[in-house]
Amino acid sequence: MTADNKTPLVLLLAALLAPLLAPSLARAQPQAPEKPLRYYAHPAAVDGQGVIAPWYRGQNGQLDLRVRVAAETVKRYPWAVPPKAVRPAPEYVYNGTWAIAADGTISVPALRDWDNGDLGQRAAYVLAGLVDYYRYSGDAAAVAHISVLADTLIEHFCTGPEHPWPGILVSCPTRGKPYGKCDPHGLIQLDIVAEVGLALARAWQLAGEPRWLEVLKGWGDLFAKHCNTSPLEPPWRRYANPADAGWSDVQTGGVVFILELLEELIRIGHAGEGGSLVKARDAGRAYLRDVLLPRWTVNDVWGRNYWDWEDPVQAENVTELAVRHLLERPEVFPLWRTDGRNVLSLFLNRTSVAPESRGDVYSGAWAYPESSGCCGRSLWYGPLELAPVYLEYGARAGSEWGRELGRRQAILATYDVHETGVVEDNIDGGQVVAGGWFKIAHPMALKHALAAIAWLPEVFGPARENHIVRSSSVVSRVEYGRGKVAYRTFDAPPEAADVLRLAFRPERVLGGKPLPLREDLREPGYVLKDLPGGDCLVTIRHDGERDVVVEGRDPQEEAGVEALSFSGEWREERGEVVERVARARGAAVSLAFTGNQVRLLGSVGPEGGTADVYLDGAKQLVPIDCWSPSARRRQVLFYRNGLAPGRHELRVEARGARNPVSRGDELRVSAVQWSAAEGSSGSGEGGGPRDAQRVICGYPGREDYRDSKGQSWRPATEVVVRLGTMKDSVTESWWTERRGAEFVRTPDPELYRHGMHARDFTAYFTVGPGTTYHVRLKLAETRSADVRLRLLTVVVNGEEVASRVDIAATAGGLNRAADLVFNGLEPAGGVIAVRFLGSEGGEAIVQAIEIGPGDGGEGARAVTVPAK
């Protein structure tokens, strides 16, 4: 979104104050002791290497805390009811703007038509985040919120049968009644329709509502019908109603959203008449593979997705989905390793151009805005969205580089939250965007924090707890019991695999029948990885079997209703599960326990009511709501982890009330679980690649260049260059066209034919500790300007190592190669930062850079020009 539509006054003040708040370019240097360094909502913490470390020290970990606070904020949102709203639903269903007080009280401002344009993105994040949250937590409130949102979208926010795109979602309803029927002349942005469709498809696999599937089939058929299959042309335009949009109808990287929806519909069995969806999918694949990826350095190729402006620049949401699409289909995109890495990391260079944002490396972690045009010092939700993609890349490609960049970004980005649900997205503290837009503050964070845990569970997963952290399919039902996790997946295709982080080592795993413990998963079975403190990572392959049970000796304890203390009016029901049921206000259940975590289990259903929760006498912000469109037994009604070890008391008191769509006010309780087991995941201190990293500056190739020694050189993308808001770093600071004639004295002239140029830019290399490094700069002067306008000064980790170098004189003339080498360099904050400065108003240049462990040998003797 543009700054114009994100609390303009706050953004203006942030921009005016930014220069006063700017930290040093040498990010590893701490601020003065009287002013401790702060990121977002909390004082900074660093590890022994000066790299960002969690501010939160609870046993469950900082990422899990972020998940819980996000989910609880969604669950406790106020409702809108008739006559204000066309049907009862939480306010966020209709209104994306919000406010939250310091004590966590949520209020909802009046909504203008235009402000409702984020409906599609908001709905997609809520649906996708809650589907994953149910798998992870077993909290059935996720199913309830999904159902209300999905039903409202289908019944009130779609076009009528007379529309050229009948039944399609009005994805950006900038016209109509914000709490009622959408006007089809609001923006129908097709990539956002597909983004919602993909999330709705996964929600259907969880909840099983037939109406949702029929609507999704209709959307897929419309995309197939309106697909342009002409080679090299965009298969779809940007809008179903381009006449109602105020800007270009061009569709570029947003095609991946449509591709993802078509892939999912085909996977679940809807290929369309005559395979029409398959043909449309193949056209989209060809456009991505043959048109977009060869133009990967073009700015708008990975843009044009935000709803409230033309967005002709690379943005974080298209970058995320495009890279994930490549990673998950290596058989279709054979260059996925280099394409995925290049597109993902190019965003670091692209977003660093805005001086008011100052995207950069902070305590070793990258932080950056959503694009080169928005949103001031809100450097938080871009990294939060892309951190899981770095982690997925690290896992799939076996890349320590990807793993470490993702780990650091995820930690820094989750400095944003308070227990109350207040979010500070200004990296210097305070709010820029999160105080006004709910979808960014919590639904977006819920989805991406869960994804980060999924791809790095050994670091980010809660210690001494049980969670399904990742699954090849949607988990449609799960029960977390003592020493037993039982779940069902929507399907179980060949090579389907799930990853669980458990507080116990499994003794038996069933997938219809007992599955064997194996060393690898070339066949159905499971593999184990022991973690510190008694935890275990379990990866299970269960081809063709949807029901899975994992059993073992769990340190968790559980008390059934016979061991709980009840007061007030309760009745007992015995069936598959023994439960006690209350309807009267004030009926209470309690348990004193010794531990660091607690969960209340019970049933949800159409007659579920609400209840208040007290922990150690303090009323919790989030209540319990037992309503769900269908009955589910032994679900998590409330949980709290990260408690100080010791004695605690949980008390739940029925309100004798219901939400606006429930038919009753029942509170059904079956058990309480708790655990005193202690452990720690840590935070991955000491990570980072220790091998050589080699980059060619300005290099637009999709595949790495191999030099005469067989060494691989990738495009230089992790570079900060302040050019100005909306400037394009590639066109203005890269020499993408090959330069120079012959470069003598080098077996690898191609390393000198590209380059970067600007008055001031910094290349960052994320590295591991425990060694010293060398830097080798490959230089060739191809400019014939006055010598004083082409002098180069080099600063490494804040220390000047070369001053006013005449590159041509050093190399023996123009178009000649010379290498400068600097040895014995220590990482600072987990990075080697090489800053290039021009002199007397001229531009600095560099062609290629090598960072490697140990001594780099000798380089050329630099010829310098003294200042006048």
Side-chain angles (χ1 to χ4, degrees):
M1 296 181 180
T2 58
D4 290 343
N5 291 299
K6 290 181 177 174
T7 54
L9 180 58
V10 173
L11 286 170
L12 177 60
L13 290 172
L16 292 173
L17 291 172
L20 301 176
L21 300 173
S24 168
L25 184 63
R27 302 298 174 190
Q29 298 178 2
Q31 293 186 4
E34 65 270 19
K35 186 179 180 182
L37 185 62
R38 169 192 176 99
Y39 293 135
Y40 305 113
H42 300 281
V46 295
D47 64 20
Q49 312 302 325
V51 177
I52 193 69
W55 66 268
Y56 174 75
R57 296 299 181 181
Q59 178 171 289
N60 54 313
Q62 189 166 300
L63 273 289
D64 179 81
L65 170 75
R66 189 63 180 94
V67 167
R68 180 178 62 79
V69 173
E72 288 186 354
T73 308
V74 171
K75 289 165 57 176
R76 64 187 178 86
Y77 220 82
W79 282 58
V81 297
K84 180 180 182 180
V86 68
R87 60 169 289 166
E91 282 271 6
Y92 67 74
V93 172
Y94 299 102
N95 188 338
T97 64
W98 81 320
I100 183 167
D103 66 356
T105 301
I106 298 170
S107 58
V108 183
L111 182 66
R112 301 173 300 171
D113 274 355
W114 180 262
D115 292 339
N116 203 31
D118 80 324
L119 169 73
Q121 290 179 330
R122 183 169 77 244
Y125 282 123
V126 172
L127 293 172
L130 289 177
V131 168
D132 290 344
Y133 174 69
Y134 176 73
R135 175 204 69 221
Y136 177 81
S137 67
D139 184 346
V143 182
H145 280 255
I146 284 170
S147 298
V148 173
L149 173 55
D151 286 344
T152 307
L153 289 175
I154 288 170
E155 294 172 12
H156 300 286
F157 296 159
C158 294
T159 60
E162 72 291 342
H163 196 274
W165 288 66
I168 201 76
L169 180 70
V170 184
S171 55
C172 308
T174 53
R175 300 183 187 179
K177 299 177 180 178
Y179 286 83
K181 188 70 176 176
C182 292
D183 187 331
H185 290 288
L187 301 181
I188 305 176
Q189 190 170 323
L190 295 176
D191 51 350
I192 295 180
V193 171
E195 184 178 10
V196 179
L198 176 63
L200 185 58
R202 299 186 74 245
W204 168 73
Q205 293 169 59
L206 167 59
E209 174 52 56
R211 293 181 306 142
W212 304 351
L213 179 59
E214 292 308 309
V215 167
L216 287 168
K217 289 180 179 179
W219 294 1
D221 292 341
L222 286 170
F223 278 115
K225 176 183 176 181
H226 291 276
C227 179
N228 175 12
T229 57
S230 300
L232 306 182
E233 293 185 11
W236 298 277
R237 57 196 188 191
R238 188 174 181 182
Y239 299 101
N241 55 342
D244 295 309
W247 40 74
S248 171
D249 192 30
V250 173
Q251 179 77 262
T252 54
V255 70
V256 294
F257 292 90
I258 301 172
L259 270 175
E260 285 282 328
L261 174 59
L262 296 178
E263 295 276 15
E264 190 68 7
L265 289 172
I266 293 167
R267 189 185 73 82
I268 62 180
H270 181 64
E273 185 176 350
S276 60
L277 267 67
V278 176
K279 296 174 185 176
R281 187 272 315 271
D282 290 346
R285 282 181 174 178
Y287 181 64
L288 176 58
R289 182 185 60 241
D290 303 334
V291 177
L292 297 182
L293 285 170
R295 301 173 64 239
W296 71 276
T297 61
V298 176
N299 208 352
D300 79 337
V301 160
W302 313 114
R304 300 189 181 278
N305 175 256
Y306 272 103
W307 62 271
D308 56 347
W309 67 304
E310 191 170 4
D311 190 21
V313 298
Q314 185 170 1
E316 97 287 346
N317 37 26
V318 180
T319 300
E320 178 221 348
L321 203 65
V323 174
R324 286 183 49 228
H325 192 82
L326 303 179
L327 300 185
E328 292 165 9
R329 293 166 181 84
E331 72 284 357
V332 180
F333 302 100
L335 298 182
W336 66 272
R337 281 183 174 84
T338 53
D339 280 336
R341 179 203 65 208
N342 293 346
V343 173
L344 182 60
S345 59
L346 177 61
F347 195 66
L348 304 175
N349 182 228
R350 274 262 159 74
T351 57
S352 72
V353 298
E356 68 276 12
S357 291
R358 300 193 307 286
D360 214 301
V361 175
Y362 296 80
S363 297
W366 279 94
Y368 40 84
E370 74 175 32
S371 72
S372 61
C374 182
C375 292
R377 292 289 279 164
S378 182
L379 306 184
W380 143 77
Y381 57 96
L384 188 59
E385 181 161 0
L386 294 184
V389 191
Y390 279 97
L391 294 172
E392 182 175 355
Y393 182 86
R396 293 185 183 275
S399 168
E400 177 62 17
W401 169 86
R403 179 189 184 276
E404 184 63 8
L405 263 74
R407 184 190 73 86
R408 296 184 190 184
Q409 288 178 55
I411 291 173
L412 179 57
T414 49
Y415 265 63
D416 65 316
V417 75
H418 294 275
E419 182 74 41
T420 58
V422 172
V423 173
E424 297 186 44
D425 62 308
N426 185 329
I427 194 167
D428 307 307
Q431 296 178 327
V432 179
V433 175
W437 293 94
F438 175 65
K439 76 139 189 264
I440 294 176
H442 287 296
M444 192 177 191
L446 177 64
K447 175 185 175 184
H448 299 314
L450 284 166
I453 293 172
W455 288 106
L456 197 58
E458 63 270 32
V459 171
F460 290 146
R464 314 307 284 142
E465 298 183 27
N466 302 325
H467 297 275
I468 307 171
V469 295
R470 193 169 81 238
S471 175
S472 298
S473 182
V474 170
V475 172
S476 57
R477 189 175 293 269
V478 60
E479 294 182 12
Y480 287 103
R482 182 190 181 195
K484 179 179 179 181
V485 179
Y487 63 98
R488 167 173 287 189
T489 57
F490 169 77
D491 59 2
E495 301 185 19
D498 309 324
V499 180
L500 292 76
R501 176 164 175 155
L502 302 175
F504 59 89
R505 205 170 199 269
E507 297 174 344
R508 189 170 70 143
V509 178
L510 304 175
K513 59 183 179 181
L515 293 173
L517 174 63
R518 299 187 182 276
E519 293 186 357
D520 59 54
L521 290 182
R522 286 178 287 185
E523 298 180 73
Y526 68 99
V527 296
L528 299 179
K529 178 182 178 181
D530 290 318
L531 301 177
D535 284 3
C536 190
L537 274 186
V538 187
T539 305
I540 305 170
R541 177 176 169 180
H542 52 104
D543 299 18
E545 296 291 344
R546 297 170 56 202
D547 292 301
V548 179
V549 177
V550 183
E551 297 176 328
R553 286 175 285 183
D554 190 348
Q556 182 173 235
E557 300 183 65
E558 180 173 311
V561 293
E562 69 283 351
L564 305 179
S565 297
F566 293 89
S567 61
E569 299 179 22
W570 293 82
R571 72 175 190 274
E572 186 166 289
E573 291 189 2
R574 291 183 172 270
E576 294 183 15
V577 177
V578 179
E579 297 182 321
R580 290 200 180 172
V581 185
R583 301 189 66 176
R585 178 181 177 85
V589 56
S590 61
L591 177 74
F593 65 94
T594 299
N596 52 52
Q597 55 186 278
V598 65
R599 289 163 185 79
L600 176 70
L601 303 187
S603 293
V604 298
E607 296 187 349
T610 58
D612 291 318
V613 183
Y614 298 84
L615 190 59
D616 297 333
K619 186 176 180 179
Q620 302 298 287
L621 284 173
V622 61
I624 290 172
D625 190 339
C626 296
W627 176 81
S628 182
S630 58
R632 291 176 180 248
R633 305 295 182 193
R634 281 186 63 85
Q635 301 294 281
V636 172
L637 302 181
F638 171 83
Y639 76 93
R640 183 65 187 269
N641 50 11
L643 298 172
R647 187 169 178 81
H648 301 277
E649 183 181 32
L650 175 70
R651 176 180 172 85
V652 177
E653 188 173 308
R655 289 180 172 179
R658 68 192 74 177
N659 73 40
V661 296
S662 178
R663 299 200 304 257
D665 45 21
E666 292 182 341
L667 171 62
R668 291 179 169 266
V669 172
S670 57
V672 173
Q673 298 171 343
W674 71 96
S675 177
E678 296 185 29
S680 174
S681 298
S683 59
E685 178 176 349
R690 292 174 172 82
D691 54 352
Q693 300 182 57
R694 302 179 180 92
V695 298
I696 306 177
C697 299
Y699 179 58
R702 291 173 61 195
E703 297 185 73
D704 293 354
Y705 173 75
R706 292 277 180 175
D707 67 16
S708 58
K709 297 179 181 178
Q711 298 171 144
S712 181
W713 296 74
R714 68 179 188 260
T717 51
E718 297 153 76
V719 182
V720 168
V721 54
R722 307 275 185 243
L723 299 172
T725 301
M726 290 290 288
K727 296 290 187 179
D728 181 6
S729 59
V730 172
T731 60
E732 299 198 29
S733 68
W734 290 32
W735 283 323
T736 57
E737 299 293 329
R738 297 168 74 245
R739 297 168 64 87
E742 293 188 21
F743 293 99
V744 298
R745 297 192 304 176
T746 175
D748 294 296
E750 288 302 313
L751 294 177
Y752 302 86
R753 294 197 185 279
H754 298 277
M756 283 189 178
H757 60 97
R759 292 185 179 182
D760 183 352
F761 59 97
T762 302
Y764 286 98
F765 295 84
T766 298
V767 296
T771 186
T772 58
Y773 292 84
H774 70 267
V775 170
R776 177 178 292 271
L777 305 181
K778 292 187 173 293
L779 303 165
E781 185 59 82
T782 60
R783 305 169 296 177
S784 58
D786 181 274
V787 65
R788 291 187 176 276
L789 296 179
R790 49 184 174 85
L791 300 179
L792 172 66
T793 294
V794 181
V795 178
V796 178
N797 284 348
E799 180 181 349
E800 188 172 280
V801 295
S803 179
R804 299 174 63 83
V805 177
D806 182 342
I807 298 171
T810 301
L814 295 175
N815 298 318
R816 289 173 178 261
D819 291 6
L820 298 182
V821 178
F822 310 100
N823 290 309
L825 302 173
E826 297 279 352
V831 299
I832 301 291
V834 187
R835 184 178 182 183
F836 301 87
L837 298 162
S839 299
E840 301 183 24
E843 289 190 327
I845 67 168
V846 65
Q847 273 67 32
I849 311 171
E850 176 187 85
I851 303 291
D855 190 279
E858 293 186 6
R861 179 178 175 275
V863 177
T864 63
V865 176
K868 289 182 179 180

